DNA sequence: CGGGGCCTTGACGTGATTCAATAAAGGTGG
DNA sequence: CCACCTTTATTGAATCACGTCAAGGCCCCG
């Protein structure tokens, strides 16, 4: 045990504050497709993703779904709801066989309150998420499918000025939903990029010989 | 002086903590169209809007603009950037002759850190904004123009089960940008709603005889 | 009276979705 | 290891929502 200590949020926590939290936490296993929590249900825990994959989904009345975020192993999620005494704003659904650690919010908050420094970090963390969402908002509203996919791929690139081979973090349908597209559209955009010589696609692996060229290409659409 | 005391954020602050903050703050007046701060510039202050109107804008490379939020008098804004030592994620532009109070972030943060209770409130506030943005994300990505406008109007309704007359908070072009639409589309949707007998439009005033009917109508599109 | 925002309306173009069919990949059991 | 079935991905054609372009109306203010 436990990679939890190495998350950005907990890395600064002294061990003796994490221990009681862990004592009250429990691992949960989900099969692919299972719902961890549903949008609107009261939030009593947040989670650490140990193995597998979780999609955070915002659904509309029409049944259309948008993936707000694809959670990867070693990520914490849903911790930001704690301070509203709140409800989950999204649905969390497993996209593969998945194990999460369920951590009770009340103890977490109580611990935070004894340590202004930790609070400060938590604020920074929320602020980061805020920026992330504002960026998402921009992507969705003023950018084309090409631009959205290009930004997304470029974000996955470790460095932007040399060739990269990246791995899509989930099946293409999920990536499409993450980008606010249909799987069909994603497929077409990928093939346009391929035909333009900007990327190579092999299953979930995408090679980008020149990321900057990709950015330029997407800029003009 | 001063309505600042009555904002959700400051209402719990003791006067003697607000006073030094005010001493370091100064009023600023902007003409319509003037930029208060630009996206990406370093954030040293946040603001209280006394009179006028400010649009928070996220722009894309193509020049397209999305209004993230329309700020109204007595609102605080840009306070959430404080904890990243950050840069403004959006541009703030006056949409009318406007006066704001410019409050230095460093002193604000320093004050917060001495008072865990205030920090706790700040966390709640950020959490709220997070929920707001997630909701926005959903609206933008999985809802039609009709649904977006309907939700928007319904949010402006004080009560949903009795007739309401609401006032658009800005000129229609700005509302359109807020909803991620063009002015033309907004106009058309409004007129569709009017023809369906769901609303009456008179300049910026919109009467909704039956909000629930509006919600149902929008549900099926 | 005239000019300039602001809003509306129409005709048209286009990017993305939808529907449907096919192909490829992955998993399972014989 | 291969046939079989399911899931996932691609491709094409038709459709649709929304955006773009352009023209005209309204209202306010000089």
């Amino acid at each position: 045990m436990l990679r939890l200590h190495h998350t950005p949020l907990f890395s600064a926590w002294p061990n003796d504050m994490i221990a009681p939290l862990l004592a009250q936490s429990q691992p949960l296993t989900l099969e692919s497709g299972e719902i961890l929590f549903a949008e609107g249900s009261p939030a009593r825990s947040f989670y650490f993703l140990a193995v597998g994959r979780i999609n955070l989904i915002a659904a509309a009345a029409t049944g259309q779904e948008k993936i707000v975020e694809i959670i990867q192993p070693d990520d914490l999620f849903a911790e930001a709801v704690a301070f509203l005494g709140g409800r989950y704003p999204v649905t969390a659904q497993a996209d593969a066989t998945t194990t999460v650690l369920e951590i009770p919010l009340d103890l977490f908050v109580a611990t935070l309150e004894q340590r202004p420094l930790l609070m400060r970090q938590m604020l920074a963390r929320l602020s980061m998420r805020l920026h992330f969402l504002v960026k998402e908002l921009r992507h969705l509203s003023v950018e084309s499918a090409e631009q959205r996919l290009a930004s997304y791929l470029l974000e996955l690139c470790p460095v932007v000025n040399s060739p990269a081979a990246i791995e899509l973090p989930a099946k293409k349908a999920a990536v499409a939903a993450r980008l606010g597209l249909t799987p069909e559209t994603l497929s077409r955009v990928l093939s346009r990029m391929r035909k333009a010589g900007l990327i190579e696609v092999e299953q979930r692996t995408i090679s980008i010989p020149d990321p900057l060229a990709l950015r330029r290409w997407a800029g003009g659409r």
Side-chain angles (χ1 to χ4, degrees), chain A:
Chain A
M1 289 275 241
L2 188 60
R3 294 164 309 172
L4 183 63
H5 295 80
H6 303 114
T7 59
L9 181 61
F10 284 112
S11 58
W13 284 47
N15 274 323
D16 61 345
M17 303 204 90
I18 299 186
L21 212 52
L22 282 181
Q24 293 214 18
S25 304
Q26 52 175 332
L28 279 179
T29 297
L30 300 146
E31 292 310 312
S32 182
E34 266 190 276
I35 304 286
L36 177 57
F37 54 77
E39 177 178 345
S41 58
R44 284 189 253 283
S45 315
F46 68 108
Y47 300 88
F48 175 76
L49 178 53
V51 311
R53 191 165 48 246
I54 294 265
N55 293 333
L56 299 185
I57 299 172
T62 61
Q64 281 235 68
E65 295 184 344
K66 155 85 170 117
I67 295 185
V68 176
E69 206 167 349
I70 298 174
I71 307 294
Q72 301 287 355
D74 295 353
D75 278 353
L76 281 168
F77 61 102
E79 83 286 8
V81 297
F83 307 94
L84 265 184
R87 298 173 170 276
Y88 296 109
V90 293
T91 295
Q93 182 176 34
D95 187 43
T97 302
T98 295
T99 321
V100 298
L101 186 66
E102 179 174 57
I103 309 171
L105 274 173
D106 48 6
L107 181 55
F108 173 67
V109 174
T111 310
L112 266 190
E113 296 200 332
Q114 293 159 22
R115 295 289 184 111
L117 179 65
L118 299 183
M119 274 219 155
R120 172 73 202 268
Q121 287 191 325
M122 194 64 205
L123 279 168
R125 197 173 154 80
L126 287 206
S127 187
M128 238 170 60
R129 290 196 105 77
L130 229 42
H131 283 245
F132 169 79
L133 286 176
V134 168
K135 205 171 56 183
E136 283 296 301
L137 222 48
R138 181 208 328 281
H139 285 160
L140 268 177
S141 47
V142 299
E143 287 180 357
S144 66
E146 271 97 348
Q147 288 173 318
R148 294 215 288 276
L149 178 56
S151 315
Y152 183 74
L153 293 178
L154 289 169
E155 264 171 33
L156 293 177
C157 282
V159 287
V160 82
N161 48 12
S162 73
I166 62 184
E167 187 89 6
L168 293 182
K171 62 186 85 162
K172 293 211 175 102
V175 173
R178 169 63 244 285
L179 296 171
L181 303 173
T182 56
E184 293 95 323
T185 302
L186 173 62
S187 178
R188 285 186 244 271
V189 175
L190 278 172
S191 96
R192 256 173 271 157
M193 288 180 174
R194 192 161 33 73
K195 280 168 191 160
L198 292 158
I199 62 174
E200 278 160 49
V201 182
E202 189 167 344
Q203 277 118 235
R204 258 170 222 183
T205 308
I206 298 186
S207 317
I208 311 177
D210 183 358
L212 290 171
L214 179 59
R215 174 179 288 167
R216 275 197 307 278
W217 176 83
R221 335 217 130 212

